[in-house]
Structures are given as structure tokens and as C-alpha cells.
Amino acid sequence: MAEFTPTQLQSKGVTQLQDQAILALQDVSISYSGKAAVSKVSFPIAKHKITSVIGPSGCGKSTLLRALNRMNDFIPNVTTEGKIIYNRQDLYAAEVDPVEVRRNIGMVFQKPNPFPKTIYKNVAWGPGINGRKDSMHELVEKSLKQAALWEEVKDRLDESALSLSGGQQQRLCIARALAMAPDILLMDEPCSALDPISTAHIEDLLYRLKSSYTIVIVTHNMQQASRISDYTAFMEMGDLIEFGKTRQIFTKPHKQRTEEYVTGRFG
Amino acid sequence: MAIRSSIRKGGVRWGEFSIEVGLACCTLISVITTAAIIFVLVKETLGFFSHVTPAEFLFGTRWVPLLKPSSFGVLPLLWGTLIVTVGAAIIAIPIGLASAVYLSEYASAKVRSTVKPVLELLAGIPTVVYGYFALTFVTPVLKTVIPQIQVFNALSGAIVVGLMILPMIASLSDNALRAVPDTLRQGAYAVGATSYEVTTQVVVPTALSGIMASFLLAISRAIGETMAVTLAAGATPNLSMSMLESIQTMTAYIVQVSLGDTPAGGVAYQTLFAVAALLFLITLLLNIISQWILRRYREVYD
Amino acid sequence: MAPRGIHARSTAETSLRKRHARARLFALFCAAVTWAGAALLMLLLYQISVNGFKWFDVQFLTSFPSRFPYKAGIKSALVGTLWLISLVAIISIPIGVATALYLEEFGKKGRLGRMVEINIANLAGVPSIVYGIIGLAVFVRGLGLERSLISGALTMSLLILPVIIIASREAIKVVPMTIRHAAFALGATRWQTAWSHVLPASFPGILTGVILALSRAIGETAPLIMIGALTYVAFLPEGPMDAFTALPIQIFNWVSRPQEEFHELAAGAIIVLLIVLLTMNATAIFIRHRAEKKRG
Ligand SMILES: Nc1ncnc2c1ncn2[C@@H]1O[C@H](COP(=O)(O)OP(=O)(O)OP(=O)(O)O)[C@@H](O)[C@H]1O
Ligand SMILES: [Mg+2]
């Protein structure tokens, strides 16, 4: 389905992925005002798996992630080249509607960004504008339960989302994304603003979501990447250095740079 | 240079102390200003109320202060101010808000960075200029459309006062919209919203208190506005429902009296202060409300 | 159905098309309204220049007002405005900046400080005509300063003082705390710190605020009418105690006359006034811009 040449994938060490890929990046290059931030990156994203993207600060992880649901459209002077294939369609083809893309590929941001509305409305708003009318209550409850937040907020759904703690806000943002029942969930360092307990909460959550969602997560936390993800992409200065099964990347990486980076963090 | 070896207090530093006292005295001036405003207004208004009862002043429907038999009902002046202000708000609020939305959500950085200073410049055009515009352009144009309109009329005043407060509303509302963090917009786009939904359902509601504050400030400005309405709307205090007739606002009345030679101490002189006191109270109330709203809105973001 | 969109959800898709149409319409509406508003305001400037330049020449700038339009000019008004604004600057700038310094650098940030702050914010919103009335009662009548330049200048100073204070405080606030701490760590007193570090660092911001405040004073008409600036002055003031007229008063006088020629004279005077204001604003923007560039 995803159009990779076998050699391309072989060189990255993953062939069996070809058929399960829900999203495939092909020679994706992104630049800001002509300054390259991501160059010629190709790798597949497996369905119902967690793929993590790691690499030093400024290497282009967020830039790449935002390209996957066209959030880069909102940054002026961004140019994106190459193809990102989703359901046989290039996300950047002229006839593709970015709004439609984002309905199917949701995103959770680095810092929690709940709307300054009630907890209930935060979850219900996305489905609401997208035409859902009935059984909204059930959907809100289900999403909040999926995000492991329901028990904490079920009695205060009409309170402002801003009254929640940072970790709760982030789980609310996850619930907000889940309420759209996206095919793919993109997460950019979702735990970086959180304490260890909230982080553990969210890691548990991701693990449970895996059975029904495809997740791409950017993280600086090596342990987190190795704990929760099935595949890992390692980037440096805009280049994809190595992509493969997480266990392989962390135990016997093919590239020396990968090994240095991965072990360096472990100390 | 002498090396100071003691760290004990060496008495008061007189230089430093006198400077501080001097600065404090300057600060006192603004407190005194407020006190003076209140003192003068209260004193003369009380003098006025020894001739005219407060009820007669506040609820009387005829304002004939300078001719015999005189009558001191302020309602016609209040009414004049009200219709000009409401008219101005009807014009300026939708246009101002739409412009603010355009500037903050749609315009390119280049358009914004040129339009914004121009707005500030326009907001600084003296009101007498708007009065000129009303009399020499707006009223003649209105006359070709509505032949029965009077030379001095409330409509023309409302239009130019609306134009006058428009840049202020656009600029302040734009600031409020800009203060909405981009992460909120992104959060909304990420669940598949269009720009219209993001703007009207997330950005504007979030900035609502700032926007409301800008409306209130602009309305308070319109109420206190003097020269444009004096020139455009005339000097005929009445309770007419028609915007095509001449009316008189509170401010225009004050100008009218002070242009004539009114001897100090008489009732006519005191009416100035009674009307000014009312004007002061109304604008003060609006300003306090808008500051209160703004304070609340700051708390949301901290 | 066209192979459009990712995922064919047929009913959702037609409604999405509607939502897109609405979004485009809304954007278009906002842009159109903005440019319409801008066009109206430009019309104002256009109309003024068309009428005003008919009379605009050297004679207009160097003649006294007159009953005969072709002889009339703005000499006394222009000189009066210059006098007035100089006096206002001398009075209001030191007081305003001193107040801002005291509030930011010396005063305790307690209850009293908050009250003074609220007081100043409210003073900024008092209609100018109320200041005019206070000027009339206190300066003209109370202190017996008559209808003089100094009465006008004092009234105008009270009017713009809150504006200067607020702008200066904003400028002082953005000076980083670390600079103050560095100075205090060297044993400097509050005043030494304020004078040699805080003031220089906030100078561009203060200057910008002061210029904008003064340009407001130049255009204000109502307070001057209240304190009785004269509308017909065929002499130049020689000192602060002299009677005077000013540009906005002259404009008001000419606009209130029925004859068309006087309206055109008014437009001419408005052009002069706007040029003065534009120059001041441009200076302020320039200073702000340069300071921002320096800060990096
Ligand atoms: N809006 C922008 N405009 C211009 N350049 C940008 C922009 N955003 C990012 N960049 C540049 O693109 C490069 C990649 O940035 P990106 O944010 O994708 O890195 P990152 O890997 O997510 O880093 P971090 O781990 O610190 O979040 C950097 O050099 C950055 O300076
Ligand atoms: Mg990042």
C-alpha cells in the first residue's frame, strides 16, 4: 500500500511494515523561509502501534510531527516537499482539505492548551462542530474515561477547564483529541510539562489506547520511548539517522550515532 | 575615595530623603486633581440644588436654563447624549470588531504592521476635525438622501462620533484578540475546525472581556465627546425620537454656555457644574466597569 | 462523488463544504468591512485636503484672523499653540515622570499604591470638558489667572498628566529587575539606581509616551473653550499671562460660521494641525522602532 522501494526499507531495517503502514513518509523535506529543518525523511507509521520520534533539541521532530496533520499550514513561510501518504492519498495534494485531515489525524500539544470553557465543552466542541448531535453525553464520558480522567472530573463537568491541574489539563486535551475518534494521534512531548505521577498516568493511557489507535509521539525521555513504543525514529539535524523496531534501536542500533545518543542518555 | 568600613546605619541620607519627598509630592498632584474635581463639582452642584430640587433636575423633561420662565429638567440633554452615543455604537462596534478580527486573524503581518500605526494615528485626530467633517460633508450628503433633514441633526453627529471611536475599538479589540495564545487556536484546528469556527467559538469568546472593555471605553469616550456633537448636532435640547432633528448633548450644552458670557455665581453658571457632575459620574461608572472587566480577564491568563 | 477529502463521510462532507463556504464568507466580510471603514476615514482626509489647500499659502500662515476670508490667516493661532504646548511640556513632563518613578521605584506596592494607581487610571478617562470646567473654576476664577496662556497650560497639563504617568510607568516596568539588582549590589541607593540606570533604559519609552500625550494636548478644543481662550485674537501673546487663541479654537470658530469660505479656511488650519500631529506621531513611532531594534 505505502509506496516504498524495498531497498529503501531494507536500509532502514524494516520490511514487514509495508502492508500495515497507515501513514508513509516519502522524502519529506520541510524548510522555514528556505532554511531546511527536515531533509528527505522517509519512514512508515504502523497501524495500531506506537511510533516514537527521538533526537536532540532542534533536530526537527516537532516540525515533522506538525507536517503529519498539516498544522504547519499556520506557520508562515513553511514549505513542505515530498509525500505523506495516508489512505492512498498524499496529504499535501492540492485537492486535500486540511480540515478533513485534522479530523482524522488528531494532535496533543507539548503544553496543555484547554479552551477556556467548561470541561464538558472542551471535549464536546470538536465533535459538535463536525456535525455530531446525538449521544454527546455518552461520547464525552467515554472519551474522558479513555483518557483516565473521568473519575476525577465527573462531578465537575461544568467547571472551567482552567481549574484543573496541569496533568489533568493534559489528559483533558487527550480526551478532546480522542472524542474525534481519530485514526492517528500525534503527540508532541505530551509529558514534558508534567510531574512523574501524571507522566505515568499518561504512559499507562497510551499503552491502553494502542489496541485501537495509531500513535506517533515525540519525546526526549529515552526510557519513555523504550517503554511504550513499538517503533522508533531517531533524527539529528533534520535527517533521519535510523528507523526500526524500538528494541533494535535501543539494544543493537545499526548506526554509531544512534548508539551514542541512546546510551549517552542512559548514562 | 574613602573606604566605608562600618555597615551600621549612619543616620538619614538627607539627599536621598529629600528627593523621595519631592517625588512623593509630584504623585500627590494627581490625588489632589481628583479631590479638586470632586470638590468643585460637588460644591457648585449643591449650590445648584439649593435653587432646583434634584428630582426636578433628574426627571424634568424641559431644559430651558437661560430664558424665563426657566426649567431645569436634564432629561433632554441626557436623551441627546444617549441617541448620539447609541447611534455611534451601532456604527462603530460591528465595524470595529470585524476590523479587529480581520487584523488579528486574517491579515498578513505586513498589512497589520502598516494598518496598526495608522489606526493609532486616526485615533489621535482631534474631535474638532470630525465636527468639521460632519458639517461640511456628512450632513450635505445626508441631505441629498433625506431632504427633510435639518442642518443640525443627531444622525450626522452619531455618524462622525462613530467614525471617531472606530479606530479605538479596532485597535484595542485587536490587542485583546492578539493576547489569545496561539496554542488555543492550534488546539481548535487540531480537532478539525475551520477558521470561522476557531475565530467565533474559541478566539473571540476567550478575548471577550478585553473586547467588552474596549467597547465600554469607546462608549465612555463617545459620551464625553464634545466638539463633533457641538458642531454637528446643534443646540436644541429636546426629547425627539427623530435623529433627523437638532438635539443637544450634555457636552454641547456646556460649550454653549461657556461661549456666552455667563457671570459667576448665578444659577446659569451652576448648571454647568451640575451637568458636568452628571457627565463625570456616567463616564466614571463606565470606566470603572471596564477596568473591572479587564482585571478579571488578566487573571484568566496568569 | 468527486474523490475529494480524506475519508468519504458523505453527509459530513456536504456539511463540511458548507462550513468552508461560511469560513470564506466570514473572512471576506471582515476584510471588506475593514477596508470600507478605512475608506471612510480616508475620505475624511481627502475631503479636508481638497478644501484646505485652496487657501494654503504663506499669507495664510502669516496673517491674523480677519472678517474677510482672503485676508485671514492662522498666525496668532499657531503662535498660541506653540506657546501653549511649550508651557504644557514644561509643567507636565517633570511632574508626570517623577510620579511614575515614585510609583515604580520608591512607593510601597501596598493598598495605598493600588488606590493611587486606580485613581490615575480613572483620571485618564475623565472627559476633557470636565477638566475644562475645573480649569475655569480653579485657575481662571479661583486663582485669578484670568483667560491666560497659563490657565490654559495648567488645565491641559492636568488633562495629559495621567497619560504621561501611565506611559512612563509602562516604560519603567520593562526595565529588567536584574539591572536594578546589579546596581543595588554595588551599594547604590534607590535614587542613584533610578537616575543612572532605570531612567536611561526607559527613556525611549517615556519619550514616546510624552510625545503622544503632547499631541493629544495640541488637538484638544473643549477645555480651551471652557477656560475662555478667545476666538478672535489679532495680536501675539508675549508672556504666560496674556490672552491667546490656539489652532483648534480657530478651527472651531471658522467651522461654526455659515459661509463656505470660512469652512475652507478651517480645512486649511486642520491641515496645519494634522501635519503637526503627524510629525509628532511619526517621531514617536521612529523612536519606539529604534529602541526596539537596539534591544534586539
Ligand atoms: N516557526 C519557525 N520559524 C522558523 N524556524 C523554525 C520554526 N520552528 C522551528 N524552527 C527551526 O526548525 C528547526 C527544527 O525545530 P523543531 O521545533 O522541529 O525542533 P525539535 O526537534 O522539536 O526541538 P525540541 O526538542 O527542542 O522541541 C530548528 O532549527 C528551529 O530553529
Ligand atoms: Mg519540539
Side-chain angles (χ1 to χ4, degrees), chain A residues 74 99 102 117 125 129, chain B residues 101 105-106 177 185 188-189 192-205, chain C residues 15-30:
Chain A
F74 301 111
V99 171
R102 292 182 209 114
K117 299 176 187 287
W125 191 73
I129 56 163
Chain B
V101 166
E105 306 299 311
Y106 294 104
L177 291 171
R185 293 185 181 85
Y189 278 119
T194 63
S195 65
Y196 169 74
E197 290 147 359
V198 174
T199 303
T200 56
Q201 297 182 39
V202 175
V203 180
V204 170
Chain C
S15 96
L16 183 59
R17 203 170 294 145
K18 252 191 234 153
R19 287 165 55 204
H20 272 307
R22 196 180 306 150
R24 256 194 305 278
L25 210 70
F26 179 67
L28 211 68
F29 168 78
C30 289

Side-chain angles (χ1 to χ4, degrees), chain C residues 51-94:
Chain C
N51 287 321
F53 277 115
K54 285 187 196 153
W55 299 87
F56 202 85
D57 55 15
V58 176
Q59 190 247 328
F60 180 66
L61 295 174
T62 56
S63 304
F64 286 113
S66 159
R67 277 185 298 127
F68 308 104
Y70 60 91
K71 275 201 208 162
I74 55 168
K75 186 176 183 179
S76 49
L78 199 53
V79 172
T81 286
L82 289 178
W83 261 103
L84 187 70
I85 212 61
S86 315
L87 288 173
V88 169
I90 292 170
I91 298 166
S92 63
I93 296 175

Side-chain angles (χ1 to χ4, degrees), chain A residues 9 24 32 46 60 62 83 89 100 105 108 112 144 171 180 196 212 220 224 245:
Chain A
L9 284 174
Y32 296 103
S62 301
K83 285 185 172 173
Q89 271 217 315
E100 191 68 79
I105 307 181
V108 175
L144 284 169
R171 276 179 281 149
M180 293 293 296
S212 41
H220 272 157
Q224 187 172 62
K245 281 239 165 80

